[in-house]
Amino acid sequence: MAASSSRVMLGPLVAAIDQGTSSTRFLVFNAKTAELLSHHQVEINQSFPKEGWVEEDPKEILQSVYECMERTCEKLTQLNVDISNIKAIGVTNQRETTLVWDKETGETPGRNKNHLKVRRWGTQTADHHVFIRNNPNSLNTYFSAVKLRWLMDNVDEVAEAVLTHRAMFGTVDSWLIWCLTGGKSGGVHCTDVTNASRTMLFNIHTLDWDPELCKYFDIPMEILPKVRSSSEIYGLMKICSSLKSGCLSGIPISGCLGDQSAALVGQMCFQEGQAKNTYGTGCFLLRNTGAKPVMSEHGLLTTVAYKLGRDKPACYALEGSVAIAGAVVRWLKDNLGIIQTSTELEKLAASVGTSYGCYFVPAFSGLYAPYWEPSARGIICGLTQFTNKSHLAFAALEAVCFQTREILDAMNQDSGIPLTQLQVDGGMTSNRLLMQLQADILCIPVVKPSMPETTALGAAMAAGAAEGVSVWSLRPEDLSEVTSEKFEPQINPEESEFRYARWKKAVQRAMNWETTEPISNGNGETSIFSSVPLGFYILGSMLMLIGAKYIAGHMNKSGV
């Protein structure tokens, strides 16, 4: 009897699908208290067929959503929670990942790819001003339009599907909503303004697809999803009734936000000037700029933050993106083998408490904001015989903080109003040393909510607040108080500035690093070298060889 009363007291529930770069999760929240009741997570495989290319399997992504739903429903049943109280489902997703599928078969020929020569192609066009006027995103492989154009040019099945009017394009949110609302049997083909604004095909002023941009990329507008607000009913779930999650059938999907916008909502940054930073595979710092877009002069992106209802105004944000944050932990684990788990990184770094003059620029896929330099390469400098893996671990954590500092500086310059504290979320925020380092390097407090699932929470809030659902109030006076932990700076600003300046020198070296593409020296001979003096390469190679032998010997002694 007590268990039955407990179910009644829970009130309406709202679920969220959180489909990220490396994993998928399904989470269920109490709409009245924002309490996370249960969730399940499934890892996603990635393949890297070439440098700068990433591929994921859309069918695997969809299957991971089904699995997460099934397991979460089982957990809720075990907790004696009535699943029928779930009133809405929100979707939040990795953003620029690009998919094309056949609307008649549901098949997905080709996967997400990056094309490395886009920068050269884009800067040669006379129409480059179109991007600044209509969609102020740098012409870069980071965004969806370039990947879509590549698929159309290089995958025969995609080209044929486009020519025969069977093709559908979308980011991950569009793919999931289409599949979950029926797929080839009447699935809804839509996206929201936050995801659309990351494609380079969207006009952030009119809040619709831009004919000029579509013409520029020669992309037929008929394959694009319908653009909707971030909070409205898009369609109803259609799940096999034989599954435990089958009881989710008929529930409206009513919230959709790109992952970083969802985190902004989940952190309740509804006031102009508020900012959050999400520490995931990469880092994404968004600052709410209100109802008018602010055009950056310091390498940031102007994006749509959210539009919480069909009749509600859009809110804009400045965004700075760091390519490598949590991914550096995976690199240290998988590529170098100096740690076995992410928690070891914090212990290693804490054991020395300094990088001992070692600086790490993890530009594995170039540098994003504020540089937008795809040819940059990772670099580790300041090594001595004393340097060990603990110092390298500390330098890796510092690198995440330094990259965030660069973006925050750019935002302060663009807005003219310095940020006084930074709200943070994401998987890496469980690393307390990282959070303290971030406060030290920014010289402002860092505030971490006690409930870290702010991305999924934002999607749930948008879904629950949608017209026709209305189980979650977004009025400031109705929002639940969020408990948090604050990290105050513990070093003096002079030391912070010194360390930051040294790291910036390392960034310049990473920016000037030449690729090893063969080039002609003008005498019919081919060389991998460019304008950097030969002596530099010889000296660098010798130092790298000596360093590699030393590190290998040290690792063997350490049992790694």
Side-chain angles (χ1 to χ4, degrees):
M1 191 68 185
S4 176
S5 298
S6 176
R7 287 200 301 269
V8 172
M9 288 176 63
L10 285 178
L13 311 179
V14 180
I17 298 166
D18 183 356
Q19 205 300 298
T21 307
S22 56
S23 69
T24 298
R25 295 179 299 165
F26 187 71
L27 309 92
V28 177
F29 297 89
N30 185 322
K32 298 300 182 186
T33 64
E35 176 191 3
L36 175 62
L37 299 178
S38 186
H39 76 284
H40 189 77
Q41 180 170 346
V42 172
E43 298 296 315
I44 297 294
N45 293 313
Q46 294 179 315
S47 60
F48 307 91
K50 291 185 181 181
E51 182 183 357
W53 292 36
V54 183
E55 294 184 352
E56 292 186 351
D57 185 345
K59 293 291 183 67
E60 181 188 354
I61 289 175
L62 178 62
Q63 187 54 46
S64 70
V65 171
Y66 288 136
E67 182 177 347
C68 287
M69 287 179 170
E70 189 73 3
R71 298 288 86 81
T72 302
C73 286
E74 288 178 358
K75 292 176 182 179
L76 289 171
T77 300
Q78 292 167 5
L79 293 170
N80 211 20
V81 173
D82 189 350
I83 302 172
S84 67
N85 279 342
I86 298 176
K87 304 303 181 184
I89 297 173
V91 175
T92 181
N93 56 284
Q94 53 173 310
R95 293 176 297 177
E96 292 81 6
T97 299
T98 303
L99 300 91
V100 178
W101 65 94
D102 189 315
K103 63 183 177 184
E104 295 180 3
T105 66
E107 293 301 313
T108 55
R111 296 181 184 176
N112 170 42
K113 293 179 173 68
N114 285 340
H115 193 278
L116 297 178
K117 295 189 185 221
V118 65
R119 188 165 171 266
R120 190 176 310 151
W121 163 63
T123 54
Q124 289 176 349
T125 177
D127 293 333
H128 192 72
H129 70 280
V130 171
F131 295 97
I132 305 302
R133 185 177 70 250
N134 297 356
N135 185 359
N137 291 334
S138 301
L139 185 57
N140 192 285
T141 57
Y142 184 54
F143 304 103
S144 304
V146 177
K147 302 168 193 174
L148 174 57
R149 185 66 256 170
W150 191 98
L151 289 167
M152 291 170 62
D153 289 340
N154 293 274
V155 180
D156 292 340
E157 298 92 332
V158 171
E160 182 184 355
V162 171
L163 286 173
T164 55
H165 307 288
R166 301 193 324 271
M168 285 183 164
F169 154 77
T171 42
V172 170
D173 58 307
S174 298
W175 165 246
L176 293 179
I177 292 173
W178 184 79
C179 291
L180 295 173
T181 57
K184 60 185 179 181
S185 300
V188 177
H189 188 211
C190 70
T191 188
D192 90 301
V193 291
T194 68
N195 281 292
S197 71
R198 311 297 295 186
T199 61
M200 284 201 302
L201 299 173
F202 186 73
N203 189 310
I204 65 170
H205 306 287
T206 65
L207 300 179
D208 206 348
W209 301 119
D210 191 284
E212 279 189 275
L213 292 171
C214 292
K215 181 180 179 181
Y216 175 81
F217 285 104
D218 194 19
I219 291 172
M221 296 182 72
E222 67 183 38
I223 75 172
L224 305 178
K226 182 177 176 57
V227 181
R228 312 277 286 271
S229 76
S230 307
S231 179
E232 62 178 275
I233 295 175
Y234 312 115
L236 304 181
M237 288 280 290
K238 294 183 180 178
I239 301 288
C240 177
S241 59
S242 64
L243 302 174
K244 274 191 173 61
S245 57
C247 63
L248 300 177
S249 290
I251 294 176
I253 300 177
S254 53
C256 181
L257 290 151
D259 51 8
Q260 303 313 318
S261 290
L264 194 73
V265 172
Q267 287 270 29
M268 301 176 196
C269 294
F270 295 125
Q271 300 299 315
E272 184 176 344
Q274 290 183 309
K276 69 88 202 172
N277 195 30
T278 298
Y279 298 76
T281 303
C283 260
F284 299 88
L285 203 161
L286 267 69
R287 182 168 184 157
N288 187 326
T289 62
K292 291 185 178 180
V294 174
M295 302 305 164
S296 175
E297 297 180 359
H298 299 90
L300 304 178
L301 301 177
T302 303
T303 193
V304 181
Y306 51 78
K307 187 178 187 295
L308 297 175
R310 283 177 293 185
D311 301 323
K312 299 293 178 64
C315 184
Y316 295 89
L318 282 172
E319 175 172 342
S321 306
V322 171
I324 303 297
V328 77
V329 181
R330 179 178 288 187
W331 184 80
L332 291 171
K333 179 173 72 74
D334 296 342
N335 292 40
L336 294 192
I338 68 173
I339 56 173
Q340 299 302 313
T341 65
S342 59
T343 54
E344 284 183 51
L345 184 67
E346 183 176 4
K347 293 178 182 177
L348 272 180
S351 69
V352 289
T354 175
S355 68
Y356 200 74
C358 173
Y359 291 91
F360 188 177
V361 182
F364 301 149
S365 54
L367 289 170
Y368 288 1
Y371 303 103
W372 296 105
E373 181 50 72
S375 65
R377 290 295 176 265
I379 189 169
I380 301 173
C381 61
L383 299 174
T384 71
Q385 266 195 319
F386 181 71
T387 307
N388 60 37
K389 63 181 181 179
S390 297
H391 298 121
L392 185 58
F394 194 96
L397 294 181
E398 271 194 322
V400 175
C401 300
F402 287 136
Q403 291 178 100
T404 299
R405 165 72 186 272
E406 285 191 303
I407 291 173
L408 190 65
D409 284 353
M411 283 191 175
N412 286 340
Q413 288 178 291
D414 279 332
S415 67
I417 304 174
L419 196 68
T420 57
Q421 72 173 27
L422 180 66
Q423 294 172 232
V424 299
D425 57 75
M428 290 191 80
T429 60
S430 62
N431 187 321
R432 294 179 57 81
L433 175 58
L434 175 67
M435 294 296 95
Q436 185 57 57
L437 281 173
Q438 188 68 88
D440 291 343
I441 289 167
L442 295 181
C443 300
I444 60 173
V446 168
V447 180
K448 171 192 169 186
S450 57
M451 202 288 289
E453 305 296 348
T454 53
T455 301
L457 177 61
M461 290 167 65
E467 183 180 353
V469 178
S470 302
V471 297
W472 204 312
S473 173
L474 297 184
R475 293 184 302 178
E477 61 270 23
D478 295 334
L479 293 173
S480 303
E481 281 293 324
V482 177
T483 57
S484 59
E485 181 178 7
K486 181 180 285 190
F487 295 82
E488 298 279 357
Q490 293 183 353
I491 65 174
N492 62 59
E494 290 77 17
E495 181 182 349
S496 175
E497 291 299 325
F498 175 80
R499 286 156 60 178
Y500 181 51
R502 295 287 294 272
W503 185 78
K504 292 279 281 186
K505 289 183 178 180
V507 170
Q508 291 306 312
R509 294 194 177 192
M511 293 269 287
N512 294 326
W513 194 263
E514 297 293 334
T515 63
T516 55
E517 294 179 1
I519 61 172
S520 172
N521 62 9
N523 298 319
E525 298 175 351
T526 300
S527 169
I528 65 170
F529 305 125
S530 184
S531 58
V532 181
L534 178 61
F536 177 86
Y537 283 100
I538 295 174
L539 176 61
S541 299
M542 291 173 62
L543 291 173
M544 289 170 64
L545 180 60
I546 294 169
K549 288 182 178 179
Y550 172 76
I551 292 172
H554 181 82
M555 287 181 176
N556 288 336
K557 290 178 183 177
S558 302
V560 177

